[in-house]
Amino acid sequence: VNIFGVTTLYMLIFLACSILSLAFRGYFYCICLLFIVVNNDIIKRVLRAVTKNGNSLIWTGILGLIVLFIYAVLSFATLHNKFIADNDDGPLYCDTLTQCMYSVLRYGLIDNIGLILPLSSDGEAPGYSSNLQPVRLIYDISFFIIVTTIGLNIVFGIIVDTFSELREE
């Protein structure tokens, strides 16, 4: 038994969580559920598939953050008055570039940011109008295609490719 090995460290964390659960609250027992991972070969293979190409996934995530930052800069430069603090979906702020980045990160990936931002400056999302701004339409469609469709499919492709590599081994 290696004293400084990963298994020993895991067992010490397992013991500490158990003691903390007994001493304070039972919430620490949820960490003890990770014991299933140690004993299940299928879950181990899934984790190996995700972590084998971890470097590729990290760089893809950095690329995604760069693309989202570009959209935040575009939002800050052109659409900052469209962000409404009293939105039904949640507060949208764009007074600073940091707030725009947070709003694009938070609502751009979970919701479609184009659906949340109203098309008019008075805060009400109107129906279809013939004077629809073409720049805004390009912004919304390109965000959906680049970030949601292509970006997330790249991540899924890396993971699925790793599964097929592990199956061949």
Side-chain angles (χ1 to χ4, degrees):
V1 175
N2 188 1
I3 295 176
F4 299 108
V6 176
T7 306
T8 306
L9 178 66
Y10 172 75
M11 290 299 174
L12 288 174
I13 292 172
F14 187 81
L15 177 67
C17 289
S18 298
I19 292 170
L20 287 171
S21 294
L22 288 172
F24 298 108
R25 301 234 180 213
Y27 298 128
F28 291 99
Y29 280 128
C30 66
I31 297 172
C32 296
L33 289 173
L34 291 175
F35 189 70
I36 296 170
V37 175
V38 174
N39 295 326
N40 193 327
D41 290 334
I42 295 172
I43 296 176
K44 283 182 185 177
R45 278 187 258 149
V46 169
L47 287 176
R48 200 174 331 134
V50 173
T51 57
K52 182 178 180 184
N53 285 337
N55 197 18
S56 299
L57 289 173
I58 288 172
W59 283 110
T60 304
I62 290 171
L63 175 66
L65 283 175
I66 291 169
V67 170
L68 287 172
F69 181 73
I70 291 170
Y71 276 98
V73 169
L74 290 173
S75 297
F76 181 68
T78 59
L79 298 172
H80 66 276
N81 59 348
K82 306 283 189 210
F83 284 72
I84 302 168
D86 297 330
N87 196 352
D88 292 338
D89 295 317
L92 295 172
Y93 300 107
C94 197
D95 293 332
T96 64
L97 184 57
T98 306
Q99 290 176 348
C100 273
M101 184 64 183
Y102 173 77
S103 294
V104 168
L105 273 174
R106 169 72 173 89
Y107 297 105
L109 293 176
I110 294 174
D111 293 329
N112 189 354
I113 194 124
L115 296 175
I116 295 175
L117 294 177
L119 291 173
S120 65
S121 60
D122 60 357
E124 296 179 8
Y128 177 77
S129 64
S130 60
N131 60 0
L132 186 65
Q133 302 167 354
V135 175
R136 174 66 191 275
L137 183 65
I138 292 170
Y139 174 86
D140 293 340
I141 291 174
S142 67
F143 187 89
F144 176 74
I145 290 172
I146 293 171
V147 174
T148 308
T149 306
I150 295 174
L152 294 178
N153 280 328
I154 289 172
V155 172
F156 296 147
I158 291 171
I159 294 172
V160 168
D161 187 45
T162 307
F163 271 117
S164 65
E165 284 179 19
L166 289 176
R167 188 179 306 127
E168 291 173 1
E169 288 180 1

